[in-house]
């Protein structure tokens, strides 16, 4: 496991993961799996597509997790609206 990737779900992360947190984790994952810190120009497109796909999957996972004792931000924001 890549030690640079941190757990993004509450309560480990005190607040909801931001898009920047999710993107950073996805980038670290793709770097680890590919073995490239920065891809060559001819690999840039597939590298960036992989980062975007991992970020989407991570966001879906975090949105779908039910963590006991934690109310998702989307629920609390919906309750605050009149």
């Amino acid at each position: 496991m890549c030690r640079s990737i941190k757990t993004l779900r509450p309560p480990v992360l005190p607040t909801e993961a931001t898009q920047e947190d999710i993107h950073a984790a996805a980038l670290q994952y793709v770097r680890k799996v590919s073995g490239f810190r920065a891809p060559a120009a001819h690999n840039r497109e597939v590298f960036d597509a992989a980062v975007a796909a991992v970020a989407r999957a991570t966001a879906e996972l975090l949105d779908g997790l039910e963590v006991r004792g934690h109310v998702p931000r989307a629920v609390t924001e919906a309750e605050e609206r009149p």
Side-chain angles (χ1 to χ4, degrees):
M1 182 63 177
C2 185
R3 293 184 184 144
S4 298
I5 300 173
K6 62 183 179 180
T7 301
L8 297 180
R9 69 164 178 78
V12 176
L13 191 65
T15 60
E16 296 283 331
T18 65
Q19 289 299 328
E20 292 80 23
D21 294 329
I22 292 170
H23 182 268
L27 180 59
Q28 285 301 109
Y29 176 80
V30 173
R31 284 176 173 168
K32 184 68 163 187
V33 171
S34 70
F36 295 114
R37 181 170 182 343
H42 62 278
N43 287 326
R44 171 60 65 187
E45 187 176 335
V46 70
F47 187 91
D48 290 345
V51 172
V54 171
R56 278 191 305 276
T58 301
E60 288 176 19
L61 171 67
L62 293 173
D63 287 344
L65 288 176
E66 291 182 26
V67 180
R68 291 183 182 167
H70 177 73
V71 179
R73 180 174 54 199
V75 172
T76 56
E77 288 175 356
E79 291 173 352
E80 292 174 357
R81 289 186 210 133

